[in-house]
Amino acid sequence: MGIVAESLKIISEEEKNSLDEPMVSVDEHNAGTRKLYIESYGCQMNFADSEIVASILRNEGFSTTSNQDEAELILLNTCAIRDNAEQKVRKRLSSLSPLKKNNPNVKIGVLGCMAERLKTKLLEEEKMVDMVVGPDSYRELPNLIAEVEEGHKAVNVFLSREETYADISPIRLDSNGVSAFISIMRGCDNMCSFCVVPYTRGRERSRDAYTIVNEAAGLFEQGYREVTLLGQNVDSYKWENADKTEKVNFARLLEKVALIHPELRVRFSTSHPKDITDEVIYTIKKYDNVCNYIHLPAQSGSTRILEMMNRTYDREWYINKIDRIREILGDKCGISQDMISGFCSETEEDHQDSLSLMDYVKFDYGYMFSYSERPGTPAAKKYADDVPEDVKKRRLNEIIAKQREHSHINNLKEIGKVHRVLIEGFSRKSEEELKGRTDQNKVVVFPKYNFRKGEYVNVLITACTTGTLIGEVVVEETDLQKL
């Protein structure tokens, strides 16, 4: 499935409140006189796409605002991974209806995967929508806006085999000034039977490696200290130059970004179990600034279900991949999962296979959700969605409970250890506390003292909850003045 949206996740207390909230555009000053309000739903790729949209429209005189009431253009960048994701957008559109009635000059557009899936049907079903734009058509936004301003509805849902937006410098809309996403590829070729992504984001294509490196280097110069390389399946990244004298796979790209500066942390998401290679794992081991953390979606622990899902690996393959990661990187590598409960025809034995896989791996955390049939997918065409909702829910709750148990066990192991933490900002609970992440992507909360976001600190872990590590800064003699 790649990058997962609309999921239940065992998360830190720091993240809990924001999990289901859309990303809202920030207030820009001195950028443009026309006001643009963007809400982004779903996965990190959508958030990254909204930053591309903001960049395209800034050239048309738009600046972003966090206040929908002052916007003349409202865009919802949508997710279609589950029915619940689409219903959330429909409710949001209904809430915008009074605003549209009070100010007919306000234009409303739906972008992203839901736009691509429903196309013109969305205009028929949601009358207040003026514009429907798919993920590969954002360059056409100026023309589509002009069409809407002339009194017409506008649609462009063309899927491209070439578009990567490699030449567009994103505007960081929800940035803490420390961490940023970099999209390295678009689309997906995996064709998992349950997944709508190949139909809403098109076929896989990789971005020019040097535009990625340049973007990462530029972010470091601006003060950012962490980048996450994004793709539906980063391990299948492949690019070659025009004269075919240089070929770059994901391991080489990871190395190129790591070499920008040792103080620039590098993360990536998402890996596919069939494609992550020893070369990638050894690259993680080679460079201290490539984080020891891998998100490796399992989706199920049952070989029979995995075959129906068209995941192209079986239970044994997945376990062998976990063993290989730990053989090369040891226990210091954090591993997280995706897990689906109640896929078509799933039996209690299949469900127990998922739980036993979790017992074997003991993931640090996970994204977990019950199966939601998506129209047009191979699963919807070939299989009956025949697991009752109450059974799906019960199995999901058992998966969540299992993950909570493992997350807590893993966090308890960190007590007494010192971790290098990149400070991201204040804790949600108090401005007397700071929060950051370890190399393994675990959230840590600790006293503020005189440290600031963007700095690295060594933190001794003294306590934990299921989702958060709690600690005290360990300072060198030269940093005593910061206490």
Side-chain angles (χ1 to χ4, degrees):
M1 177 179 266
I3 300 172
V4 175
E6 284 305 308
S7 57
L8 294 170
K9 177 190 174 192
I10 300 300
I11 57 173
S12 72
E13 281 78 357
E14 289 301 311
E15 299 168 303
K16 189 179 296 180
N17 295 330
S18 62
L19 179 61
D20 290 323
E21 295 299 316
M23 183 188 80
V24 176
S25 52
V26 298
D27 294 303
E28 283 189 288
H29 303 287
N30 304 318
T33 56
R34 307 177 73 184
K35 293 297 183 181
L36 164 68
Y37 176 89
I38 309 178
E39 280 185 5
S40 304
Y41 295 79
C43 68
Q44 295 166 336
M45 290 292 291
N46 272 8
F47 300 159
D49 277 1
S50 291
E51 295 178 337
I52 290 169
V53 168
S55 181
I56 291 169
L57 292 182
R58 177 183 277 186
N59 293 332
E60 301 300 312
F62 283 93
S63 62
T64 59
T65 176
S66 61
N67 181 2
Q68 67 181 37
D69 294 330
E70 70 177 21
E72 63 180 89
L73 177 62
I74 296 175
L75 300 177
L76 304 185
N77 193 354
T78 62
C79 175
I81 206 76
R82 298 178 68 218
D83 181 65
N84 184 49
E86 293 192 3
Q87 294 308 316
K88 188 178 295 183
V89 172
R90 290 186 187 277
K91 288 179 182 177
R92 184 68 179 105
L93 287 170
S94 295
S95 75
L96 291 172
S97 187
L99 187 151
K100 179 85 167 175
K101 288 179 181 177
N102 293 334
N103 184 2
N105 292 324
V106 173
K107 308 304 180 187
I108 297 177
V110 176
L111 314 181
C113 293
M114 185 175 172
E116 188 66 45
R117 191 183 80 78
L118 293 175
K119 301 179 173 59
T120 56
K121 186 179 179 182
L122 190 56
L123 294 176
E124 299 165 7
E125 295 173 349
E126 304 290 349
K127 301 299 183 183
M128 80 287 292
V129 173
D130 301 293
M131 183 168 54
V132 176
V133 188
D136 290 347
S137 302
Y138 297 145
R139 291 184 194 270
E140 285 298 306
L141 275 167
N143 294 331
L144 297 170
I145 292 168
E147 192 174 338
V148 168
E149 288 174 342
E150 291 175 1
H152 307 291
K153 300 283 187 177
V155 179
N156 191 327
V157 289
F158 174 74
L159 284 177
S160 170
R161 286 182 175 268
E162 290 82 34
E163 182 62 83
T164 63
Y165 301 110
D167 59 319
I168 295 175
S169 179
I171 293 173
R172 306 296 166 179
L173 293 176
D174 190 35
S175 173
N176 56 14
V178 177
S179 306
F181 298 131
I182 299 178
S183 177
I184 68 169
M185 60 198 301
R186 300 183 71 82
C188 186
D189 287 348
N190 283 321
M191 306 304 290
C192 300
S193 67
F194 55 80
C195 187
V196 74
V197 167
Y199 310 99
T200 60
R201 286 190 167 271
R203 301 305 298 269
E204 191 175 275
R205 61 268 191 204
S206 297
R207 182 177 159 189
D208 182 314
Y210 288 96
T211 67
I212 296 167
V213 174
N214 290 340
E215 184 175 338
L219 286 166
F220 183 79
E221 290 171 4
Q222 295 168 41
Y224 288 82
R225 290 297 176 264
E226 180 178 279
V227 294
T228 300
L229 307 181
L230 292 180
Q232 301 299 145
N233 178 17
V234 291
D235 300 289
S236 60
Y237 174 90
K238 50 186 178 295
W239 172 83
E240 61 183 12
N241 60 2
D243 60 8
K244 302 186 184 304
T245 57
E246 182 181 13
K247 295 183 179 181
V248 180
N249 63 10
F250 182 60
R252 288 198 61 201
L253 176 68
L254 199 56
E255 181 174 55
K256 285 177 180 293
V257 178
L259 287 170
I260 290 170
H261 198 283
E263 292 295 293
L264 179 66
R265 265 189 176 175
V266 187
R267 300 189 187 275
F268 58 89
S269 187
T270 294
S271 288
H272 195 293
K274 72 177 174 62
D275 291 323
I276 188 168
T277 63
D278 281 7
E279 187 182 7
V280 170
I281 302 169
Y282 277 114
T283 302
I284 296 172
K285 183 176 183 177
K286 182 178 180 180
Y287 294 97
D288 289 340
N289 58 329
V290 178
C291 291
N292 283 276
Y293 166 68
I294 298 173
H295 183 58
L296 198 67
Q299 308 300 6
S300 175
S302 162
T303 291
R304 184 183 75 84
I305 293 296
L306 288 169
E307 183 176 2
M308 291 178 66
M309 288 178 167
N310 193 35
R311 290 293 287 173
T312 67
Y313 58 84
D314 58 17
R315 176 189 176 91
E316 183 180 7
W317 174 280
Y318 187 91
I319 288 174
N320 288 339
K321 190 63 66 174
I322 293 292
D323 290 345
R324 187 61 175 155
I325 291 169
R326 287 179 171 160
E327 179 184 341
I328 296 171
L329 298 176
D331 291 335
K332 69 177 183 178
C333 184
I335 303 175
S336 58
Q337 48 89 351
D338 296 342
M339 198 71 72
I340 297 172
S341 75
F343 186 72
C344 309
S345 82
E346 183 187 68
T347 65
E348 194 62 31
E349 182 180 1
D350 295 322
H351 171 58
Q352 291 301 321
D353 282 346
S354 292
L355 294 177
S356 66
L357 179 70
M358 294 175 71
D359 281 330
Y360 182 87
V361 180
K362 291 184 172 59
F363 297 99
D364 289 273
Y365 63 87
Y367 297 79
M368 298 150 285
F369 47 96
S370 59
Y371 175 63
S372 175
E373 183 177 87
R374 308 309 294 133
T377 59
K381 295 175 182 177
K382 294 193 296 183
Y383 308 130
D385 182 9
D386 55 0
V387 179
E389 286 301 317
D390 62 331
V391 175
K392 288 182 183 179
K393 184 176 180 179
R394 189 260 300 168
R395 291 176 183 171
L396 176 60
N397 286 337
E398 290 177 5
I399 289 171
I400 292 171
K402 180 74 71 176
Q403 185 57 63
R404 287 189 184 280
E405 174 191 341
H406 293 159
S407 295
H408 196 216
I409 289 171
N410 289 335
N411 282 353
L412 285 169
K413 292 177 182 178
E414 302 304 321
I415 295 175
K417 296 180 182 178
V418 174
H419 285 276
R420 192 171 190 237
V421 174
L422 176 59
I423 302 174
E424 297 177 356
F426 291 117
S427 159
R428 285 188 181 276
K429 293 182 178 179
S430 170
E431 291 197 358
E432 294 305 310
E433 294 178 332
L434 294 172
K435 69 170 182 177
R437 290 177 190 269
T438 70
D439 189 46
Q440 295 78 25
N441 206 31
K442 293 177 183 286
V443 173
V444 185
V445 173
F446 51 92
K448 177 181 70 173
Y449 299 119
N450 290 315
F451 295 102
R452 297 173 296 177
K453 72 176 183 178
E455 292 183 326
Y456 288 97
V457 291
N458 291 321
V459 180
L460 172 66
I461 307 304
T462 58
C464 73
T465 66
T466 300
T468 304
L469 302 178
I470 301 162
E472 284 284 347
V473 177
V474 178
V475 298
E476 301 293 335
E477 201 168 315
T478 54
D479 285 332
L480 287 175
Q481 71 276 10
K482 291 190 176 182
L483 295 181

